[in-house]
Amino acid sequence: MSKRNNKPPRILVVDDEPDLRELVELTLLKMGLDVDMADGVAAAKARLDAGGIDLCLTDMRMGDGSGLDVVRHIEARGYDIPVAVITAYGSLDNAVEALKAGAFDYLAKPVSLEQLRTLVRSALELDKPAGSKPATSADRTFIGDSPAIRHALQLIDRLAKSQAPVYITGESGSGKERAARLIHSQSNRNSQPFVPVNCGAIPENLMESEFFGSKKGAYTGADTERDGFFQAAHGGTLFLDEVADLPLAMQVKLLRAIQEKHVRKLGDTKETAIDVRIICATHQNLAKCVDEGRFRQDLYYRLNVIELKMPPLREMREDVAGIAHGLLARLASQNGMDEPKLGPDALQALAAYDFPGNVRELENILERALALCDGKQIRLADLQLSRSDSDESTPSAAIGDKYPLQDYLDRMEKEAILEALDKTRFNRTQAAKILGVTFRSLRYRMERLSIS
Protein backbone atom coordinates (compact mmCIF):
# COMPACT_ATOMS: atom_id res chain seq x y z
CA MET A 1 0.00 0.00 0.00
CA SER A 2 1.46 3.36 -0.98
CA LYS A 3 2.35 6.08 1.51
CA ARG A 4 3.23 9.73 1.00
CA ASN A 5 6.17 11.09 3.01
CA ASN A 6 6.02 7.92 5.13
CA LYS A 7 2.53 8.85 6.32
CA PRO A 8 -0.41 6.50 5.88
CA PRO A 9 -2.88 7.39 3.12
CA ARG A 10 -5.77 9.64 4.18
CA ILE A 11 -9.33 8.66 3.30
CA LEU A 12 -12.27 11.06 3.21
CA VAL A 13 -15.59 9.42 4.16
CA VAL A 14 -18.66 11.41 3.10
CA ASP A 15 -22.03 10.37 4.55
CA ASP A 16 -24.83 12.03 6.48
CA GLU A 17 -25.57 8.82 8.44
CA PRO A 18 -23.39 8.77 11.59
CA ASP A 19 -23.69 4.98 12.03
CA LEU A 20 -22.34 4.21 8.55
CA ARG A 21 -19.59 6.80 8.90
CA GLU A 22 -18.47 5.18 12.14
CA LEU A 23 -18.53 1.65 10.67
CA VAL A 24 -16.41 2.70 7.68
CA GLU A 25 -14.06 4.76 9.87
CA LEU A 26 -13.36 1.85 12.24
CA THR A 27 -12.68 -0.49 9.31
CA LEU A 28 -10.23 1.94 7.72
CA LEU A 29 -8.45 2.71 11.00
CA LYS A 30 -7.89 -1.02 11.54
CA MET A 31 -6.21 -1.04 8.10
CA GLY A 32 -3.71 1.54 9.38
CA LEU A 33 -5.19 4.43 7.40
CA ASP A 34 -5.94 8.02 8.41
CA VAL A 35 -9.59 9.01 8.13
CA ASP A 36 -11.36 12.36 7.72
CA MET A 37 -15.15 12.67 7.91
CA ALA A 38 -17.67 14.90 6.13
CA ASP A 39 -21.41 14.88 6.81
CA GLY A 40 -22.50 16.20 3.42
CA VAL A 41 -21.55 17.50 -0.01
CA ALA A 42 -20.57 21.02 1.09
CA ALA A 43 -18.27 19.76 3.84
CA ALA A 44 -16.76 17.22 1.44
CA LYS A 45 -15.94 19.86 -1.17
CA ALA A 46 -14.27 22.06 1.43
CA ARG A 47 -12.16 19.20 2.75
CA LEU A 48 -11.15 18.10 -0.75
CA ASP A 49 -10.11 21.66 -1.62
CA ALA A 50 -7.87 21.73 1.46
CA GLY A 51 -5.79 18.91 -0.06
CA GLY A 52 -4.05 15.84 1.33
CA ILE A 53 -6.77 13.31 0.47
CA ASP A 54 -5.72 10.05 -1.19
CA LEU A 55 -9.16 8.42 -1.59
CA CYS A 56 -12.75 9.57 -1.23
CA LEU A 57 -15.67 7.31 -0.27
CA THR A 58 -19.03 9.02 -0.64
CA ASP A 59 -22.65 8.07 -0.13
CA MET A 60 -24.95 8.76 -3.08
CA ARG A 61 -27.92 10.36 -1.32
CA MET A 62 -27.36 13.10 1.25
CA GLY A 63 -29.39 15.98 2.58
CA ASP A 64 -27.52 18.71 0.73
CA GLY A 65 -26.84 16.92 -2.54
CA SER A 66 -25.59 13.75 -4.19
CA GLY A 67 -22.43 11.73 -4.33
CA LEU A 68 -22.40 12.63 -8.02
CA ASP A 69 -21.77 16.24 -6.96
CA VAL A 70 -18.65 15.06 -5.12
CA VAL A 71 -17.48 13.01 -8.12
CA ARG A 72 -18.00 15.93 -10.50
CA HIS A 73 -16.24 18.33 -8.14
CA ILE A 74 -13.15 16.11 -8.12
CA GLU A 75 -13.25 15.79 -11.91
CA ALA A 76 -13.84 19.52 -12.50
CA ARG A 77 -10.96 20.56 -10.22
CA GLY A 78 -8.64 17.98 -11.78
CA TYR A 79 -7.82 16.35 -8.45
CA ASP A 80 -5.90 13.07 -8.78
CA ILE A 81 -8.12 11.39 -6.19
CA PRO A 82 -9.93 8.12 -6.84
CA VAL A 83 -13.51 8.31 -5.59
CA ALA A 84 -15.92 5.45 -4.91
CA VAL A 85 -19.65 5.78 -4.28
CA ILE A 86 -21.85 3.90 -1.82
CA THR A 87 -25.35 3.33 -3.13
CA ALA A 88 -28.49 1.70 -1.79
CA TYR A 89 -29.18 -1.84 -2.96
CA GLY A 90 -31.52 -1.71 -5.96
CA SER A 91 -30.28 1.76 -6.96
CA LEU A 92 -27.35 0.59 -9.05
CA ASP A 93 -28.36 2.87 -11.92
CA ASN A 94 -26.94 5.66 -9.76
CA ALA A 95 -23.67 3.75 -9.46
CA VAL A 96 -23.46 3.36 -13.23
CA GLU A 97 -24.05 7.09 -13.64
CA ALA A 98 -21.27 7.78 -11.11
CA LEU A 99 -18.86 5.49 -12.97
CA LYS A 100 -19.58 7.35 -16.19
CA ALA A 101 -18.92 10.64 -14.37
CA GLY A 102 -15.48 9.43 -13.29
CA ALA A 103 -15.94 7.34 -10.12
CA PHE A 104 -13.38 4.60 -9.57
CA ASP A 105 -15.81 1.96 -8.26
CA TYR A 106 -18.94 1.53 -6.15
CA LEU A 107 -20.22 -0.37 -3.12
CA ALA A 108 -23.83 -1.42 -2.52
CA LYS A 109 -25.54 -1.18 0.85
CA PRO A 110 -25.46 -2.97 3.19
CA VAL A 111 -21.72 -2.43 2.90
CA SER A 112 -19.64 -5.61 2.90
CA LEU A 113 -16.50 -4.87 4.94
CA GLU A 114 -14.57 -7.44 2.90
CA GLN A 115 -15.48 -5.64 -0.32
CA LEU A 116 -14.71 -2.27 1.29
CA ARG A 117 -11.20 -3.40 2.22
CA THR A 118 -10.63 -4.83 -1.27
CA LEU A 119 -11.82 -1.62 -2.92
CA VAL A 120 -9.59 0.55 -0.74
CA ARG A 121 -6.50 -1.56 -1.43
CA SER A 122 -7.18 -1.45 -5.17
CA ALA A 123 -7.81 2.30 -5.20
CA LEU A 124 -4.68 3.21 -3.28
CA GLU A 125 -2.52 1.17 -5.66
CA LEU A 126 -3.42 3.78 -8.29
CA ASP A 127 -1.03 6.09 -6.47
CA LYS A 128 1.99 4.35 -8.01
CA PRO A 129 4.42 6.73 -9.72
CA ALA A 130 4.19 6.96 -13.50
CA GLY A 131 6.23 4.28 -15.19
CA SER A 132 6.19 1.95 -12.20
CA LYS A 133 4.16 -0.69 -13.98
CA PRO A 134 6.13 -3.41 -15.72
CA ALA A 135 6.26 -3.29 -19.49
CA THR A 136 4.44 -6.10 -21.23
CA SER A 137 4.01 -7.26 -24.77
CA ALA A 138 0.59 -5.60 -24.74
CA ASP A 139 2.26 -2.20 -24.25
CA ARG A 140 3.85 -2.61 -27.67
CA THR A 141 0.78 -4.03 -29.36
CA PHE A 142 -0.50 -0.91 -31.06
CA ILE A 143 1.65 0.84 -33.63
CA GLY A 144 0.69 4.05 -35.38
CA ASP A 145 0.16 7.76 -35.07
CA SER A 146 -3.12 8.26 -36.91
CA PRO A 147 -5.81 10.33 -35.13
CA ALA A 148 -8.02 7.22 -34.83
CA ILE A 149 -5.49 5.09 -32.93
CA ARG A 150 -4.24 8.05 -30.87
CA HIS A 151 -7.78 8.68 -29.65
CA ALA A 152 -8.23 4.99 -28.75
CA LEU A 153 -4.91 4.87 -26.86
CA GLN A 154 -5.74 8.04 -24.92
CA LEU A 155 -9.03 6.50 -23.82
CA ILE A 156 -7.29 3.24 -22.91
CA ASP A 157 -4.91 5.21 -20.67
CA ARG A 158 -7.89 6.78 -18.86
CA LEU A 159 -9.75 3.48 -18.57
CA ALA A 160 -6.72 1.80 -16.97
CA LYS A 161 -7.15 4.10 -13.95
CA SER A 162 -10.76 3.05 -13.35
CA GLN A 163 -12.60 -0.04 -12.22
CA ALA A 164 -15.64 0.70 -14.40
CA PRO A 165 -16.85 -1.99 -16.80
CA VAL A 166 -15.68 -1.37 -20.37
CA TYR A 167 -17.48 -2.31 -23.58
CA ILE A 168 -15.11 -2.57 -26.56
CA THR A 169 -16.64 -2.35 -30.01
CA GLY A 170 -15.05 -2.81 -33.39
CA GLU A 171 -14.94 -5.00 -36.45
CA SER A 172 -13.50 -8.49 -36.40
CA GLY A 173 -9.72 -8.35 -36.26
CA SER A 174 -9.52 -4.72 -35.10
CA GLY A 175 -7.70 -5.53 -31.85
CA LYS A 176 -10.45 -5.67 -29.22
CA GLU A 177 -8.71 -8.29 -27.08
CA ARG A 178 -5.38 -6.51 -27.45
CA ALA A 179 -7.04 -3.33 -26.19
CA ALA A 180 -8.49 -5.21 -23.21
CA ARG A 181 -5.07 -6.65 -22.39
CA LEU A 182 -3.53 -3.19 -22.60
CA ILE A 183 -6.13 -1.75 -20.21
CA HIS A 184 -5.33 -4.58 -17.80
CA SER A 185 -1.55 -4.31 -18.13
CA GLN A 186 -1.63 -0.57 -17.38
CA SER A 187 -4.02 -0.90 -14.44
CA ASN A 188 -3.36 -1.59 -10.77
CA ARG A 189 -4.60 -5.15 -11.43
CA ASN A 190 -1.68 -5.97 -13.73
CA SER A 191 -0.08 -8.39 -11.23
CA GLN A 192 -3.29 -10.44 -11.13
CA PRO A 193 -4.78 -12.70 -13.84
CA PHE A 194 -6.24 -11.57 -17.15
CA VAL A 195 -8.76 -14.26 -18.10
CA PRO A 196 -10.11 -14.14 -21.67
CA VAL A 197 -13.35 -16.01 -22.39
CA ASN A 198 -14.79 -16.60 -25.85
CA CYS A 199 -18.51 -16.65 -25.04
CA GLY A 200 -19.36 -18.13 -28.43
CA ALA A 201 -17.18 -21.22 -27.98
CA ILE A 202 -18.73 -22.63 -24.77
CA PRO A 203 -21.53 -25.21 -25.04
CA GLU A 204 -24.68 -23.84 -23.42
CA ASN A 205 -25.04 -26.78 -21.02
CA LEU A 206 -21.55 -26.12 -19.61
CA MET A 207 -21.77 -22.34 -19.29
CA GLU A 208 -22.77 -22.07 -15.64
CA SER A 209 -20.03 -24.40 -14.42
CA GLU A 210 -17.45 -22.78 -16.71
CA PHE A 211 -18.23 -19.29 -15.42
CA PHE A 212 -18.90 -20.00 -11.74
CA GLY A 213 -17.21 -23.35 -11.06
CA SER A 214 -18.74 -26.52 -9.64
CA LYS A 215 -18.65 -28.68 -6.53
CA LYS A 216 -17.73 -32.34 -6.63
CA GLY A 217 -20.80 -34.36 -7.64
CA ALA A 218 -22.70 -31.33 -8.95
CA TYR A 219 -23.34 -33.18 -12.20
CA THR A 220 -22.42 -36.45 -13.89
CA GLY A 221 -18.68 -36.49 -14.42
CA ALA A 222 -17.91 -33.79 -11.80
CA ASP A 223 -15.28 -35.88 -10.00
CA THR A 224 -13.54 -32.95 -8.31
CA GLU A 225 -14.36 -29.42 -7.23
CA ARG A 226 -13.26 -26.86 -9.80
CA ASP A 227 -13.11 -23.09 -10.09
CA GLY A 228 -14.76 -21.13 -12.89
CA PHE A 229 -13.70 -18.07 -14.85
CA PHE A 230 -14.75 -15.68 -12.09
CA GLN A 231 -12.62 -17.45 -9.46
CA ALA A 232 -9.69 -17.67 -11.89
CA ALA A 233 -9.88 -13.91 -12.52
CA HIS A 234 -10.22 -12.94 -8.83
CA GLY A 235 -8.29 -9.73 -8.25
CA GLY A 236 -7.78 -9.27 -11.97
CA THR A 237 -9.75 -8.79 -15.18
CA LEU A 238 -12.35 -11.02 -16.84
CA PHE A 239 -12.56 -10.37 -20.58
CA LEU A 240 -15.81 -11.57 -22.17
CA ASP A 241 -15.22 -11.72 -25.92
CA GLU A 242 -18.25 -12.01 -28.24
CA VAL A 243 -20.53 -11.37 -25.27
CA ALA A 244 -23.52 -11.04 -27.64
CA ASP A 245 -23.36 -14.83 -28.10
CA LEU A 246 -24.38 -15.51 -24.48
CA PRO A 247 -27.81 -17.19 -24.20
CA LEU A 248 -30.47 -15.25 -22.30
CA ALA A 249 -30.48 -17.67 -19.36
CA MET A 250 -26.75 -17.10 -18.84
CA GLN A 251 -27.18 -13.35 -19.19
CA VAL A 252 -29.44 -13.35 -16.10
CA LYS A 253 -26.81 -15.18 -14.03
CA LEU A 254 -24.03 -12.91 -15.28
CA LEU A 255 -26.03 -9.79 -14.42
CA ARG A 256 -26.54 -11.02 -10.85
CA ALA A 257 -22.83 -11.79 -10.42
CA ILE A 258 -21.86 -8.31 -11.66
CA GLN A 259 -24.41 -6.51 -9.48
CA GLU A 260 -23.84 -8.41 -6.25
CA LYS A 261 -20.13 -9.21 -6.70
CA HIS A 262 -20.79 -12.74 -5.44
CA VAL A 263 -20.92 -16.07 -7.25
CA ARG A 264 -22.10 -19.53 -6.28
CA LYS A 265 -20.55 -22.69 -7.66
CA LEU A 266 -22.85 -25.19 -9.29
CA GLY A 267 -23.98 -27.59 -6.56
CA ASP A 268 -22.92 -25.28 -3.70
CA THR A 269 -25.21 -23.77 -1.07
CA LYS A 270 -23.16 -20.67 -0.28
CA GLU A 271 -21.86 -17.74 -2.26
CA THR A 272 -18.34 -16.33 -2.29
CA ALA A 273 -17.29 -12.73 -2.88
CA ILE A 274 -15.39 -12.00 -6.07
CA ASP A 275 -13.24 -9.02 -7.03
CA VAL A 276 -13.22 -8.93 -10.81
CA ARG A 277 -13.18 -6.14 -13.36
CA ILE A 278 -15.35 -6.89 -16.39
CA ILE A 279 -14.31 -5.93 -19.90
CA CYS A 280 -16.46 -7.21 -22.75
CA ALA A 281 -16.34 -7.02 -26.52
CA THR A 282 -18.27 -8.00 -29.61
CA HIS A 283 -18.19 -7.24 -33.30
CA GLN A 284 -22.01 -7.21 -33.30
CA ASN A 285 -24.17 -4.16 -32.60
CA LEU A 286 -25.16 -4.86 -29.02
CA ALA A 287 -27.82 -2.13 -28.94
CA LYS A 288 -29.45 -3.77 -31.97
CA CYS A 289 -29.30 -7.14 -30.17
CA VAL A 290 -31.22 -5.49 -27.29
CA ASP A 291 -33.85 -4.14 -29.70
CA GLU A 292 -34.23 -7.61 -31.23
CA GLY A 293 -34.67 -9.23 -27.80
CA ARG A 294 -31.45 -11.25 -28.04
CA PHE A 295 -29.66 -9.36 -25.28
CA ARG A 296 -31.01 -8.12 -21.94
CA GLN A 297 -31.27 -4.36 -21.67
CA ASP A 298 -30.34 -4.31 -17.96
CA LEU A 299 -27.16 -6.30 -18.63
CA TYR A 300 -26.33 -4.03 -21.57
CA TYR A 301 -26.44 -0.98 -19.29
CA ARG A 302 -24.23 -2.72 -16.70
CA LEU A 303 -21.61 -3.66 -19.29
CA ASN A 304 -21.75 -0.53 -21.42
CA VAL A 305 -20.62 1.92 -18.73
CA ILE A 306 -17.76 3.20 -20.87
CA GLU A 307 -17.48 2.36 -24.56
CA LEU A 308 -14.16 2.03 -26.39
CA LYS A 309 -14.34 1.86 -30.18
CA MET A 310 -11.38 0.25 -31.91
CA PRO A 311 -10.93 1.78 -35.36
CA PRO A 312 -10.83 -0.39 -38.49
CA LEU A 313 -7.53 -0.49 -40.36
CA ARG A 314 -8.99 1.38 -43.35
CA GLU A 315 -9.34 4.44 -41.06
CA MET A 316 -5.62 4.22 -40.26
CA ARG A 317 -4.14 4.07 -43.76
CA GLU A 318 -1.15 6.21 -42.78
CA ASP A 319 -0.24 3.55 -40.19
CA VAL A 320 -0.48 0.51 -42.48
CA ALA A 321 3.19 0.54 -43.50
CA GLY A 322 4.41 0.77 -39.89
CA ILE A 323 2.05 -1.96 -38.69
CA ALA A 324 3.06 -4.18 -41.62
CA HIS A 325 6.78 -3.76 -40.85
CA GLY A 326 6.16 -4.61 -37.18
CA LEU A 327 4.15 -7.73 -38.04
CA LEU A 328 6.64 -8.82 -40.68
CA ALA A 329 9.56 -8.53 -38.25
CA ARG A 330 7.75 -10.74 -35.72
CA LEU A 331 6.67 -13.32 -38.32
CA ALA A 332 10.18 -13.55 -39.79
CA SER A 333 11.65 -14.00 -36.31
CA GLN A 334 9.15 -16.76 -35.48
CA ASN A 335 10.10 -18.59 -38.67
CA GLY A 336 13.85 -18.17 -38.15
CA MET A 337 14.15 -16.00 -41.27
CA ASP A 338 15.70 -12.66 -42.10
CA GLU A 339 13.05 -9.99 -42.50
CA PRO A 340 12.44 -9.29 -46.20
CA LYS A 341 11.75 -5.77 -47.42
CA LEU A 342 8.31 -4.70 -48.57
CA GLY A 343 8.62 -3.58 -52.18
CA PRO A 344 7.15 -0.24 -53.31
CA ASP A 345 4.38 -1.94 -55.29
CA ALA A 346 3.44 -4.08 -52.28
CA LEU A 347 3.36 -1.09 -49.92
CA GLN A 348 1.20 0.85 -52.38
CA ALA A 349 -1.25 -2.03 -52.69
CA LEU A 350 -1.49 -2.47 -48.91
CA ALA A 351 -2.14 1.24 -48.42
CA ALA A 352 -5.02 1.08 -50.91
CA TYR A 353 -6.52 -2.17 -49.55
CA ASP A 354 -9.66 -1.93 -47.38
CA PHE A 355 -8.80 -4.86 -45.04
CA PRO A 356 -12.25 -6.24 -44.22
CA GLY A 357 -10.48 -8.49 -41.69
CA ASN A 358 -8.40 -5.59 -40.29
CA VAL A 359 -5.05 -6.25 -38.57
CA ARG A 360 -5.72 -9.99 -38.34
CA GLU A 361 -6.15 -10.12 -42.12
CA LEU A 362 -2.98 -8.07 -42.64
CA GLU A 363 -1.07 -10.58 -40.52
CA ASN A 364 -2.46 -13.49 -42.56
CA ILE A 365 -1.53 -11.73 -45.83
CA LEU A 366 2.02 -11.12 -44.64
CA GLU A 367 2.41 -14.68 -43.33
CA ARG A 368 1.39 -15.98 -46.75
CA ALA A 369 3.65 -13.50 -48.55
CA LEU A 370 6.57 -14.50 -46.36
CA ALA A 371 6.20 -18.08 -47.59
CA LEU A 372 5.84 -17.07 -51.24
CA CYS A 373 8.53 -14.38 -51.58
CA ASP A 374 12.16 -14.91 -52.57
CA GLY A 375 13.32 -14.15 -49.02
CA LYS A 376 14.68 -10.72 -49.88
CA GLN A 377 11.68 -8.68 -50.97
CA ILE A 378 7.90 -9.02 -50.87
CA ARG A 379 6.33 -7.92 -54.13
CA LEU A 380 2.71 -7.28 -55.12
CA ALA A 381 2.22 -10.79 -56.50
CA ASP A 382 3.37 -12.30 -53.18
CA LEU A 383 0.52 -10.57 -51.31
CA GLN A 384 -2.15 -12.50 -53.26
CA LEU A 385 -4.73 -9.74 -52.72
CA SER A 386 -8.21 -10.44 -54.07
CA ARG A 387 -9.31 -8.90 -57.36
CA SER A 388 -11.97 -6.70 -55.81
CA ASP A 389 -9.45 -4.98 -53.59
CA SER A 390 -6.37 -4.94 -55.79
CA ASP A 391 -5.76 -2.74 -58.79
CA GLU A 392 -8.56 -3.61 -61.20
CA SER A 393 -6.45 -2.32 -64.07
CA THR A 394 -4.35 -5.47 -63.75
CA PRO A 395 -6.92 -8.28 -63.72
CA SER A 396 -4.45 -10.83 -64.98
CA ALA A 397 -2.56 -10.68 -61.69
CA ALA A 398 -5.80 -11.17 -59.75
CA ILE A 399 -6.86 -14.11 -61.92
CA GLY A 400 -3.40 -15.62 -61.76
CA ASP A 401 -3.60 -16.13 -58.00
CA LYS A 402 -6.18 -18.90 -58.60
CA TYR A 403 -3.56 -21.13 -60.20
CA PRO A 404 -2.28 -23.69 -59.70
CA LEU A 405 -5.69 -24.76 -58.42
CA GLN A 406 -4.42 -26.99 -55.58
CA ASP A 407 -2.29 -24.18 -54.13
CA TYR A 408 -5.28 -21.86 -54.23
CA LEU A 409 -7.56 -24.42 -52.55
CA ASP A 410 -4.93 -25.10 -49.89
CA ARG A 411 -4.67 -21.39 -49.13
CA MET A 412 -8.43 -21.06 -48.79
CA GLU A 413 -8.63 -24.14 -46.57
CA LYS A 414 -5.79 -22.92 -44.38
CA GLU A 415 -7.41 -19.49 -43.95
CA ALA A 416 -10.74 -21.08 -42.98
CA ILE A 417 -9.06 -23.36 -40.42
CA LEU A 418 -6.99 -20.52 -38.95
CA GLU A 419 -10.10 -18.36 -38.66
CA ALA A 420 -12.00 -21.14 -36.84
CA LEU A 421 -9.03 -21.77 -34.53
CA ASP A 422 -8.75 -18.07 -33.81
CA LYS A 423 -12.46 -17.83 -32.99
CA THR A 424 -12.19 -20.76 -30.54
CA ARG A 425 -8.81 -19.73 -29.09
CA PHE A 426 -7.25 -22.83 -30.66
CA ASN A 427 -9.79 -25.24 -29.18
CA ARG A 428 -9.57 -27.82 -31.96
CA THR A 429 -12.71 -29.68 -30.87
CA GLN A 430 -14.84 -26.54 -31.11
CA ALA A 431 -13.08 -25.48 -34.34
CA ALA A 432 -13.95 -28.82 -35.92
CA LYS A 433 -17.62 -28.29 -35.02
CA ILE A 434 -17.61 -24.83 -36.59
CA LEU A 435 -16.01 -26.20 -39.76
CA GLY A 436 -18.37 -29.16 -39.90
CA VAL A 437 -15.62 -31.80 -39.90
CA THR A 438 -14.54 -34.46 -37.44
CA PHE A 439 -11.75 -33.81 -34.97
CA ARG A 440 -9.62 -36.46 -36.70
CA SER A 441 -10.20 -34.83 -40.09
CA LEU A 442 -9.21 -31.42 -38.72
CA ARG A 443 -6.04 -32.84 -37.19
CA TYR A 444 -5.10 -34.43 -40.52
CA ARG A 445 -5.75 -31.19 -42.42
CA MET A 446 -3.69 -29.18 -39.93
CA GLU A 447 -0.77 -31.57 -40.33
CA ARG A 448 -1.03 -31.47 -44.13
CA LEU A 449 -1.13 -27.67 -44.16
CA SER A 450 1.64 -27.31 -41.52
CA ILE A 451 -0.61 -25.57 -39.01
CA SER A 452 0.89 -26.00 -35.55
Side-chain angles (χ1 to χ4, degrees):
M1 190 174 295
S2 62
K3 296 185 179 182
R4 294 179 178 179
N5 301 321
N6 295 319
K7 293 181 180 180
R10 183 170 293 276
I11 317 300
L12 175 62
V13 179
V14 186
D15 202 308
D16 58 2
E17 296 181 28
D19 291 345
L20 184 58
R21 283 205 311 269
E22 183 178 356
L23 173 65
V24 175
E25 180 185 23
L26 288 173
T27 303
L28 297 176
L29 289 173
K30 287 180 181 179
M31 295 175 68
L33 304 169
D34 289 340
V35 183
D36 282 0
M37 313 291 282
D39 61 3
V41 174
K45 290 180 178 179
R47 181 62 191 87
L48 289 164
D49 292 341
I53 298 299
D54 298 292
L55 169 65
C56 177
L57 302 175
T58 178
D59 193 18
M60 277 298 290
R61 294 184 178 179
M62 292 172 282
D64 64 342
S66 162
L68 278 173
D69 299 325
V70 178
V71 175
R72 289 167 180 154
H73 181 78
I74 290 172
E75 287 289 302
R77 298 296 179 94
Y79 295 148
D80 188 18
I81 302 172
V83 54
V85 297
I86 301 171
T87 184
Y89 180 80
S91 302
L92 292 177
D93 286 342
N94 293 329
V96 171
E97 188 176 356
L99 290 170
K100 289 183 176 180
F104 168 80
D105 204 349
Y106 71 89
L107 288 170
K109 293 180 181 179
V111 174
S112 161
L113 298 184
E114 180 186 356
Q115 289 183 8
L116 172 63
R117 287 188 286 265
T118 298
L119 182 150
V120 170
R121 293 190 187 100
S122 295
L124 293 174
E125 285 298 312
L126 292 178
D127 203 22
K128 291 179 181 177
S132 65
K133 297 181 177 66
T136 69
S137 59
D139 296 317
R140 300 182 293 274
T141 292
F142 294 101
I143 301 170
D145 197 43
S146 63
I149 196 63
R150 279 206 312 269
H151 176 74
L153 290 173
Q154 287 168 1
L155 186 53
I156 285 171
D157 186 58
R158 285 179 51 205
L159 294 174
K161 299 176 182 177
S162 170
Q163 295 294 298
V166 178
Y167 168 46
I168 305 178
T169 64
E171 297 175 5
S172 180
S174 59
K176 297 185 290 295
E177 181 173 339
R178 287 178 291 141
R181 288 183 182 275
L182 186 53
I183 292 170
H184 173 79
S185 72
Q186 292 185 349
S187 76
N188 64 306
R189 294 177 176 265
N190 61 3
S191 62
Q192 300 301 317
F194 175 90
V195 178
V197 178
N198 187 337
C199 298
I202 306 171
E204 188 170 348
N205 63 321
L206 297 179
M207 275 199 170
E208 187 171 357
S209 62
E210 289 292 309
F211 273 87
F212 307 128
S214 58
K215 298 287 286 185
K216 181 179 180 180
Y219 56 88
T220 303
D223 299 326
T224 58
E225 182 173 349
R226 61 186 297 273
D227 288 339
F229 298 133
F230 273 92
Q231 291 91 347
H234 184 69
T237 302
L238 181 61
F239 175 58
L240 304 178
D241 197 9
E242 298 303 343
V243 70
D245 291 340
L246 285 174
L248 288 169
M250 188 61 209
Q251 291 176 30
V252 176
K253 296 179 174 68
L254 179 61
L255 175 64
R256 187 173 184 277
I258 293 172
Q259 289 185 162
E260 300 188 11
K261 299 186 178 181
H262 282 77
V263 297
R264 181 167 58 199
K265 288 185 175 181
L266 196 65
D268 204 349
T269 57
K270 63 181 186 296
E271 294 184 329
T272 56
I274 45 99
D275 170 30
V276 168
R277 184 185 190 180
I278 301 290
I279 300 179
C280 71
T282 179
H283 72 281
Q284 299 186 50
N285 185 327
L286 207 53
K288 184 179 179 183
C289 293
V290 172
D291 292 340
E292 294 173 350
R294 295 189 291 117
F295 202 84
R296 292 182 62 96
Q297 186 176 55
D298 46 8
L299 178 58
Y300 172 70
Y301 287 129
R302 291 291 175 266
L303 296 175
N304 188 21
V305 173
I306 303 175
E307 182 174 337
L308 168 65
K309 181 181 184 300
M310 295 308 297
L313 194 52
R314 62 181 173 277
E315 293 180 6
M316 304 160 50
R317 293 193 187 277
E318 57 266 59
D319 294 331
V320 169
I323 296 172
H325 283 300
L327 289 171
L328 195 56
R330 178 170 60 80
L331 291 169
S333 176
Q334 289 176 349
N335 287 278
M337 301 169 58
D338 292 331
E339 180 187 351
K341 293 181 179 180
L342 278 164
D345 57 345
L347 280 171
Q348 184 178 359
L350 290 174
Y353 188 56
D354 276 344
F355 292 103
N358 294 292
V359 176
R360 185 183 297 134
E361 182 181 7
L362 173 58
E363 185 172 3
N364 288 341
I365 288 170
L366 292 175
E367 185 176 16
R368 182 174 63 211
L370 194 61
L372 296 174
C373 74
D374 60 9
K376 296 180 180 180
Q377 186 178 71
I378 291 178
R379 296 179 172 82
L380 174 59
D382 300 321
L383 297 177
Q384 301 279 313
L385 297 179
S386 65
R387 178 179 179 181
S388 60
D389 294 290
S390 59
D391 184 357
E392 293 195 13
S393 66
T394 57
S396 58
I399 294 173
D401 69 9
K402 305 294 190 296
Y403 307 105
L405 181 59
Q406 189 57 54
D407 289 349
Y408 171 71
L409 293 174
D410 285 348
R411 288 198 305 271
M412 296 300 101
E413 184 177 358
K414 185 174 182 179
E415 286 182 11
I417 291 173
L418 287 171
E419 184 177 340
L421 289 169
D422 180 71
K423 182 176 177 63
T424 61
R425 301 191 189 286
F426 236 81
N427 183 321
R428 291 185 293 174
T429 302
Q430 292 298 321
K433 289 181 180 178
I434 290 174
L435 293 165
V437 298
T438 65
F439 177 80
R440 180 176 295 181
S441 174
L442 176 61
R443 187 172 59 184
Y444 164 76
R445 292 167 187 266
M446 289 175 64
E447 290 175 357
R448 183 174 64 81
L449 296 169
S450 300
I451 301 174
S452 58

